[in-house]
Amino acid sequence: MKTRHLFPALHLSLLAVGAAAVLYTPAGQAHEAGDFLVKGGVTLVSPKSNNGTVADGAVKLDVGNNVRPSFSLTYMATRNIGVELLGAFPFKHNIDSNLGRIGSTKHLPPTLSLQYHFLPDSDFQPYVGVGLNYTMFFDTKSQGALEGADLKLKNTWGFAAQLGVDYKLDKNWFLNADVRYISIRPDVKLNGQSIGKAKLDPVVATIGVGYRF
């Protein structure tokens, strides 16, 4: 079974940024209107504990966690307002159930967010964001009790919310940590027939480093 508690992962992400704030004396500079922020790091996607049922309630779904490299590009429209596009290498998730493991799938979750940065003059810059996610599922494979069946998850649109912080190391470089909630609820098809909906709704935690242009 997968580990569900993201608090240790998020704690480590924020602790890493906080430790840098304590140990490093920066020569920071605020993000300015017209800046581009490029970030790279690693992202954990952790679906919620109860991922719904399909086949008239006969099959209870349990979708696993995955960690992959990620990247993002933010354009600062003003000193406070940024527009960010999140991308990543494909995530792979095992699909378990009360029947055992029944398959696996891969997905890409590009997410576009509008952010508000609260303290543009501070080296420690918290922000919040809201946006839109489009999740593309592919390479979905059946196994176990469904071996040989055509299992598919339909691509989805969903709402995203974000809480994060940048910590400036110098004029250009900064550390970043954030956590998102993303609404992802794809239709599940078996041999071309809809059998229900998977309720993934993951928490997505990222830690990385960024560069300001």
Side-chain angles (χ1 to χ4, degrees):
M1 296 294 291
K2 54 185 177 286
T3 301
R4 284 305 186 185
H5 299 290
L6 277 179
F7 293 108
L10 181 56
H11 242 149
L12 289 174
S13 298
L14 298 178
L15 184 61
V17 176
V22 172
L23 298 175
Y24 190 86
T25 301
Q29 183 173 324
H31 298 334
E32 299 290 347
D35 285 350
F36 285 93
L37 314 177
V38 178
K39 293 178 277 189
V42 291
T43 293
L44 167 67
V45 174
S46 180
K48 69 175 187 176
S49 296
N50 180 4
N51 302 134
T53 61
V54 295
D56 295 325
V59 180
K60 298 179 180 179
L61 301 178
D62 185 30
V63 180
N65 300 339
N66 195 229
V67 177
R68 296 295 289 160
S70 61
F71 47 88
S72 67
L73 175 65
T74 304
Y75 173 72
M76 297 301 298
T78 72
R79 301 180 77 232
N80 296 96
I81 297 174
V83 180
E84 181 186 68
L85 179 62
L86 171 69
F89 286 75
F91 292 93
K92 181 178 180 179
H93 300 272
N94 291 321
I95 305 172
D96 292 313
S97 73
N98 54 313
L99 304 177
R101 182 153 297 171
I102 58 174
S104 64
T105 191
K106 295 180 181 178
H107 83 274
L108 286 170
T111 303
L112 185 67
S113 297
L114 182 67
Q115 300 174 335
Y116 186 83
H117 295 246
F118 292 96
L119 304 172
D121 292 313
S122 174
D123 292 316
F124 196 78
Q125 298 191 26
Y127 59 88
V128 295
V130 293
L132 186 65
N133 165 264
Y134 182 67
T135 299
M136 297 172 285
F137 292 94
F138 60 98
D139 200 19
T140 302
K141 299 177 180 178
S142 61
Q143 63 186 93
L146 299 183
E147 184 73 39
D150 181 21
L151 179 65
K152 291 187 181 299
L153 300 179
K154 188 176 179 180
N155 298 345
T156 66
W157 292 93
F159 168 81
Q162 178 187 29
L163 174 65
V165 62
D166 293 333
Y167 179 72
K168 289 193 164 294
L169 299 176
D170 59 25
K171 178 180 178 181
N172 298 105
W173 291 97
F174 58 94
L175 299 178
N176 171 261
D178 69 38
V179 62
R180 289 176 169 87
Y181 166 83
I182 302 178
S183 175
I184 303 178
R185 298 192 172 194
D187 288 331
V188 182
K189 289 190 174 183
L190 188 65
N191 296 325
Q193 299 296 316
S194 178
I195 60 171
K197 190 179 292 288
K199 300 176 182 179
L200 307 184
D201 297 342
V203 173
V204 180
T206 300
I207 185 169
V209 62
Y211 187 86
R212 180 174 70 95
F213 290 91

